[in-house]
């Protein structure tokens, strides 16, 4: 009987404890549910990755043009500020010299009782001496007037120089800000493109390169099928030949944004350097080369001419004849020969 009571009591205690514990466990489970599994994102195809990488490098090319233009303008404004500073120094030296001359004239007038030396001669009672020195007095008056006029003009010039220097300084600082922003944009886009490439397996990277080449081959074939080469003159001028020889001699050197040689180039740095070697100075960026150089119809293209690509003129290469061009493609690539129609052509310019 006692055993039965003890067993019953033990069961009762266990049941009570179980009943007390159950709400706590249930409440705890309700208060902290497991987070839902994140949705599975569809994987990008290699073609989508290729287009994204190509887009990032294109954006980097646009930013590179902006950087190069800002850098060119910064150089020009720095040179102009130095030139104006020299003019200001020269002007101040001239003002000091004119002031010294004016001071000497004033001291001479004071010593002669308020009259210059020539006026003393005019006041003589000798008629002949008066006639001899009347002309000298007129010359002295003119010299004094000219001296004051020159001082006034020089001071006005100094004011203009100082204003111009201030304007150029403001532009210089604005272009430095543009350079810094463009530099950040370039680095960000290149870093994003390289990150995408680095996430690919070696086999995928090889396939990506083949896809790029196939895309370029398809574009080049379509371009050639238009008959664009029919009747094209492959004869370069003497200057054009020198430009082509320089550009092709750089094959194998790496693309580096903002580079103008001799160890590396960006696209417009290569074309500018090539034509510079041929004795013709041309603008620094592909957009400025497109904007400022004479344009020619593609059917009149000849070796040495520059082919501008894409609607924003963000890339440029040099035609070398037989449907080919030499260019610095993009970061991670070297200066190379490619089909002239392997990218979207905007137009052709001729530096000479």
């Amino acid at each position: 009987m006692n055993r039965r009571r003890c067993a019953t009591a033990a069961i009762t205690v266990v049941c009570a404890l179980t009943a007390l514990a159950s709400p706590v466990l249930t409440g705890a489970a309700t208060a902290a549910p497991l987070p839902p599994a994140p949705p599975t994102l569809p994987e990008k195809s290699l073609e989508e990755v290729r287009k994204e990488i190509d887009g990032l490098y294109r954006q980097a090319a646009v930013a590179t043009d902006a950087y190069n233009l800002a850098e060119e303008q910064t150089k020009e404004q720095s040179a102009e500020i130095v030139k104006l500073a020299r003019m200001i120094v020269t002007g101040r030296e001239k003002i000091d010299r004119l002031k010294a001359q004016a001071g000497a004239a004033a001291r001479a007038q004071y010593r002669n009782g308020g009259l210059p030396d020539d006026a003393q001669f005019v006041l003589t009672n000798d008629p002949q001496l008066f006639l001899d020195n009347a002309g000298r007095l007129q010359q002295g008056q003119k010299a004094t007037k000219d001296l004051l006029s020159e001082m006034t003009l020089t001071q006005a010039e100094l004011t203009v120089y100082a204003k111009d220097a201030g304007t150029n300084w403001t532009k210089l600082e604005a272009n430095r800000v543009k350079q810094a922003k463009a530099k950040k944009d370039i680095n960000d886009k290149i870093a994003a493109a390289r990150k995408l490439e680095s996430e690919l397996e070696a086999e995928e990277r090889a396939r990506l390169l083949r896809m790029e080449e196939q895309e370029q081959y398809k574009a080049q074939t379509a371009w050639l099928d238009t008959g664009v080469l029919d009747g094209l003159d492959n004869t370069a001028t003497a200057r054009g030949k020198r430009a082509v020889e320089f550009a092709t001699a750089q094959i194998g050197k790496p693309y580096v944004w903002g580079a103008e040689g001799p160890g590396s180039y960006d696209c417009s740095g290569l074309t500018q350097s090539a034509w510079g070697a041929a004795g013709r100075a041309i603008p620094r960026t592909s957009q400025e080369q497109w904007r400022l150089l004479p344009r020619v119809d593609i059917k009149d293209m000849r070796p040495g001419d520059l082919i501008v690509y894409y609607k924003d003129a963000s890339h440029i290469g040099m035609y070398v004849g037989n449907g080919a061009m030499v260019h610095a493609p993009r970061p991670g690539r070297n200066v190379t020969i490619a089909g002239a129609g392997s990218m979207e052509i905007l137009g052709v310019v001729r530096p000479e």
Side-chain angles (χ1 to χ4, degrees):
M1 186 71 159
N2 288 335
R3 288 179 187 170
R4 190 178 297 146
R5 283 178 187 164
C6 289
T8 302
I11 291 168
T12 303
V13 171
V14 169
C15 290
L17 288 173
T18 303
L20 288 171
S22 295
V24 175
L25 292 172
T26 303
T30 304
L34 292 173
T40 303
L41 297 175
E43 288 188 8
K44 292 179 183 176
S45 69
L46 198 57
E47 174 62 14
E48 288 173 325
V49 172
R50 184 192 70 78
K51 287 181 177 178
E52 189 173 351
I53 289 171
D54 186 58
L56 287 166
Y57 279 126
R58 284 278 314 284
Q59 291 171 45
V62 173
T64 297
D65 243 26
Y67 177 90
N68 289 337
L69 181 59
E71 183 180 47
E72 196 75 359
Q73 291 173 339
T74 295
K75 287 177 183 175
E76 290 172 3
Q77 279 141 13
S78 295
E80 188 63 24
I81 288 170
V82 170
K83 179 183 172 184
L84 287 166
R86 287 172 179 161
M87 292 168 75
I88 289 170
V89 169
T90 302
R92 284 175 178 164
E93 289 173 348
K94 185 177 180 181
I95 287 284
D96 291 342
R97 191 166 60 251
L98 292 172
K99 283 180 178 179
Q101 291 176 21
R107 287 192 296 273
Q109 186 175 350
Y110 176 79
R111 285 195 303 271
N112 292 316
L115 293 174
D117 292 338
D118 291 338
Q120 298 290 338
F121 284 113
V122 171
L123 294 176
T124 181
N125 291 325
D126 185 340
Q128 185 59 46
L129 190 59
F130 176 87
L131 291 173
D132 290 344
N133 291 284
R136 291 177 60 192
L137 177 59
Q138 289 178 339
Q139 291 174 1
Q141 289 173 336
K142 183 177 183 304
T144 301
K145 184 179 179 181
D146 290 347
L147 178 65
L148 293 174
S149 296
E150 193 172 1
M151 284 181 66
T152 302
L153 179 61
T154 303
Q155 189 61 56
E157 287 174 345
L158 281 175
T159 302
V160 172
Y161 296 158
K163 183 179 177 182
D164 287 349
T167 300
N168 277 282
W169 183 262
T170 301
K171 290 179 180 177
L172 180 67
E173 290 304 302
N175 278 314
R176 283 176 176 158
V177 170
K178 287 180 187 175
Q179 270 184 282
K181 182 181 182 304
K183 184 176 182 178
K184 183 179 184 305
D185 288 346
I186 294 163
N187 287 330
D188 287 349
K189 301 303 180 190
I190 292 175
R194 285 178 173 163
K195 183 175 184 295
L196 280 173
E197 288 177 309
S198 70
E199 290 170 352
L200 298 173
E201 299 292 339
E203 183 182 340
E204 289 178 313
R205 285 198 294 273
R207 280 181 56 211
L208 187 69
L209 181 58
R210 287 196 299 273
M211 290 171 70
E212 287 179 8
E213 292 170 346
Q214 287 167 0
E215 189 73 17
Q216 292 167 5
Y217 176 78
K218 189 194 304 182
Q220 174 74 356
T221 302
W223 184 67
L224 292 176
D225 286 346
T226 64
V228 67
L229 296 187
D230 297 344
L232 265 187
D233 185 4
N234 281 318
T235 306
T237 63
R239 267 187 173 180
K241 185 178 179 182
R242 289 200 298 274
V244 168
E245 287 172 348
F246 180 94
T248 52
Q250 313 313 309
I251 290 173
K253 292 183 179 179
Y255 176 105
V256 174
W257 67 263
E260 303 170 17
S264 58
Y265 296 89
D266 62 20
C267 66
S268 56
L270 177 64
T271 54
Q272 184 193 46
S273 297
W275 271 101
R280 170 76 165 96
I282 65 174
R284 172 63 181 89
T285 71
S286 59
Q287 292 174 345
E288 289 294 282
Q289 289 172 16
W290 169 244
R291 187 173 72 87
L292 298 173
L293 295 177
R295 297 181 187 179
V296 297
D297 196 293
I298 202 164
K299 66 182 175 58
D300 299 319
M301 184 169 59
R302 68 189 184 203
D305 288 347
L306 306 180
I307 306 176
V308 185
Y309 294 96
Y310 305 116
K311 290 182 176 64
D312 56 7
S314 58
H315 191 67
I316 196 163
M318 179 180 291
Y319 186 62
V320 296
N322 297 316
M325 60 93 172
V326 60
H327 72 144
R330 66 165 176 80
R333 300 285 189 265
N334 297 331
V335 176
T336 189
I337 293 284
S342 59
M343 293 174 284
E344 177 193 346
I345 295 177
L346 175 62
V348 180
V349 292
R350 178 168 292 161
E352 54 182 346

